Amino acid sequence: EVQLVESGGGLVQAGGSLRLSCAASGITFDDDAMAWFRQAPGKEREGVSCIDINDGRTKYADSVKGRFTISRDIAKNTVSLQMNSLKPDDTGVYYCAAVRNPICLLREEWYDGWGQGTQVTVSS
């Protein structure tokens, strides 16, 4: 069974930075794709970024390109999301997701393992 545990959320002022981490267990962490999604109050969950664990290829939502960076540490079975130049619109619960498939997509239905989420709040 896949287990994903997020950490690193918190409250930050606009323009600040946060780094989220997702610790994965129950998977081999090689032939997988992992992603970060977020859900703002009253809105649907949206894809933020994903990464192919095997070759490191990444995708980003247009709204975060140039500000967020996703990375993986194969030795530690973790995926991180470095978030810079944060805006109030980045506020939401951030979820880590995984799928046993090397294709990285920003589609919620693609993933079958989910973490519990971590709150990110950006104040203006």
Side-chain angles (χ1 to χ4, degrees):
E1 181 183 356
V2 175
Q3 289 191 327
L4 304 173
V5 179
E6 302 98 335
S7 62
L11 172 64
V12 65
Q13 288 188 331
S17 298
L18 282 174
R19 185 176 180 87
L20 306 182
S21 291
C22 174
S25 61
I27 59 176
T28 57
F29 210 70
D30 52 10
D31 200 24
D32 308 282
M34 294 188 69
W36 288 95
F37 287 75
R38 68 185 180 189
Q39 187 167 22
K43 295 186 177 181
E44 294 185 351
R45 191 151 56 181
E46 63 174 351
V48 175
S49 182
C50 63
I51 186 167
D52 177 339
I53 297 299
N54 189 36
D55 63 16
R57 285 181 294 182
T58 60
K59 287 188 175 73
Y60 296 92
D62 288 342
S63 59
V64 306
K65 280 181 182 176
R67 300 188 298 123
F68 291 10
T69 303
I70 192 170
S71 61
R72 89 281 198 215
D73 186 331
I74 295 174
K76 295 182 179 180
N77 276 26
T78 59
V79 170
S80 298
L81 186 68
Q82 178 66 41
M83 305 186 295
N84 298 328
S85 302
L86 283 161
K87 306 174 182 179
D89 284 349
D90 295 318
T91 294
V93 178
Y94 282 67
Y95 298 90
C96 179
V99 63
R100 189 74 179 150
N101 189 302
I103 298 174
C104 158
L105 297 175
L106 290 179
R107 289 165 49 185
E108 184 176 357
E109 64 271 21
W110 184 244
Y111 297 88
D112 54 18
W114 291 87
Q116 293 298 308
T118 185
Q119 177 70 45
V120 171
T121 303
V122 184
S123 63
S124 57

